[in-house]
Amino acid sequence: MKKVLFFLLTFLFFPFQSSALAKAETIQPMLAIVIDDFGSYDESGVNKLLNLNEPITAAVLPNTDMTNEHILKLSKTNFEIILHMPMESHVRLPENWYGPTYIKNFDDPETVKKKIDNCIKKFPKIKGFNSHIGSGVSRNERLMKAVYEFANSNNLYFLDSRTIETKATESACSKTGSLYLGRDVFLEANKNKTYSGVCFRLNEASNIAKQNGFAIAIGHVGAEGGENTAQAIIDMIPKLKENGIKIVPLSTIYEYKKSQINLKSTENSQNNFSSSS
């Protein structure tokens, strides 16, 4: 009889106990460091980072002379490789800043999807992509809906680099039922590409991770960051770890956010069941 009673009590209260335990469970603050502009002709900082045995996320430009070489080198490291998809700015820029393939402000949605598909199929075991430049396209909700639709249909994540202040990208994300990932910190913010400036921004990202559970920082190899950014990351990672920060690939944060949404959905279902009972 006692065993039967114990079983019934466990069955009745287990969902609420497990929910409470999940809430009480604390995660180690996570930081995803995304490095843009692999594949660029300017390789400053590339070789330094390639020797870093950490799960950094490398965003590689498509269809450049260095794309395949950098993908091959990165595939031999712990880096997570994503597509760094060129998208047009809101101001006129030289064509060669984008590379041979980029999404234009006046493309139609199907053209957007075809361009991403043509670029991404050359990346092995890819989990996601972000934008290169893109301040014009990211203000166009119609085009960003196409970006998220492509991501959803191919089981990929899209990282909003937030190169310009706009609500269009988040709105497109919401309307397509997608999970939003957005950059928290630029390591070379305000064009400050100094070693000390990048170290400062990594500390800022660390504080955000402690406050929110995770943070996403974007830096650059090549002209936008290069050797200073690479060296700052190499020197700062041991200090970040000592400070309780876990360095993770971007997909880990994406999966964590998905799990939190699923947990919330489960809790709401349980609460509704409890209320109706």
Side-chain angles (χ1 to χ4, degrees):
M1 183 67 184
K2 287 181 179 179
K3 287 184 178 179
V4 174
L5 182 61
F6 175 79
F7 175 79
L8 288 171
L9 288 171
T10 302
F11 178 80
L12 287 170
F13 291 103
F14 176 76
F16 308 103
Q17 288 173 337
S18 62
S19 175
L21 285 171
K23 283 183 177 179
E25 194 177 301
T26 57
I27 65 159
Q28 183 179 0
M30 297 180 291
L31 173 60
I33 302 175
V34 182
I35 303 299
D36 286 352
D37 295 348
F38 279 94
S40 170
Y41 69 91
D42 186 338
E43 294 189 273
S44 55
V46 169
N47 288 330
K48 273 187 178 177
L49 286 176
L50 285 173
N51 292 322
L52 186 60
N53 189 30
E54 296 289 345
I56 304 296
T57 301
V60 185
L61 291 162
N63 301 328
T64 71
D65 292 340
M66 302 302 296
T67 297
N68 291 337
E69 182 180 329
H70 282 185
I71 288 175
L72 180 61
K73 288 180 177 179
L74 288 163
S75 66
K76 298 175 182 178
T77 70
N78 285 335
F79 283 38
E80 179 166 286
I81 303 170
I82 66 174
L83 167 67
H84 194 35
M85 186 67 208
M87 301 182 187
E88 194 170 1
S89 171
H90 68 294
V91 297
R92 188 172 181 82
L93 295 175
E95 288 278 320
N96 63 353
W97 283 27
Y98 300 107
T101 308
Y102 68 98
I103 296 171
K104 299 181 179 181
N105 291 328
F106 296 104
D107 280 342
D108 61 76
E110 285 308 308
T111 300
V112 169
K113 294 175 185 178
K114 285 177 183 176
K115 285 181 176 180
I116 302 172
D117 186 54
N118 287 336
C119 292
I120 217 159
K121 64 176 54 170
K122 300 172 185 177
F123 286 68
K125 299 179 182 177
I126 195 161
K127 296 182 179 180
F129 61 108
N130 71 344
S131 59
H132 173 58
I133 306 177
S135 58
V137 173
S138 64
R139 298 198 303 182
N140 187 321
E141 185 175 317
R142 181 166 168 263
L143 297 186
M144 292 312 301
K145 281 179 69 177
V147 168
Y148 279 110
E149 285 168 359
F150 178 88
N152 289 344
S153 62
N154 289 276
N155 196 29
L156 300 168
Y157 63 73
F158 173 72
L159 170 64
D160 180 9
S161 301
R162 291 175 171 163
T163 55
I164 196 169
E165 196 77 27
T166 177
K167 293 294 184 184
T169 299
E170 289 186 62
S171 177
C173 179
S174 176
K175 289 179 179 178
T176 54
S178 307
L179 192 154
Y180 183 76
L181 287 178
R183 182 267 311 164
D184 295 298
V185 173
F186 269 133
L187 297 184
E188 308 92 359
N190 303 317
K191 302 296 182 182
N192 183 357
K193 297 180 279 186
T194 63
Y195 173 86
S196 60
V198 176
C199 289
F200 177 85
R201 294 296 180 182
L202 282 166
N203 276 323
E204 182 183 3
S206 170
N207 291 333
I208 294 171
K210 285 184 173 181
Q211 181 178 340
N212 298 336
F214 61 87
I216 300 169
I218 294 181
H220 301 78
V221 290
E224 297 299 317
E227 299 293 331
N228 284 342
T229 295
Q231 193 61 55
I233 291 169
I234 291 167
D235 293 345
M236 283 294 294
I237 282 182
K239 297 174 183 177
L240 292 170
K241 288 181 175 180
E242 288 173 10
N243 204 20
I245 302 298
K246 184 178 182 181
I247 308 302
V248 298
L250 187 55
S251 60
T252 297
I253 291 178
Y254 179 70
E255 293 300 328
Y256 170 72
K257 289 192 73 173
K258 275 206 302 190
S259 71
Q260 293 301 102
I261 291 172
N262 292 338
L263 176 63
K264 189 174 181 180
S265 176
T266 301
E267 288 178 347
N268 288 338
S269 298
Q270 291 172 351
N271 290 337
N272 290 338
F273 175 78
S274 177
S275 299
S276 62
S277 302

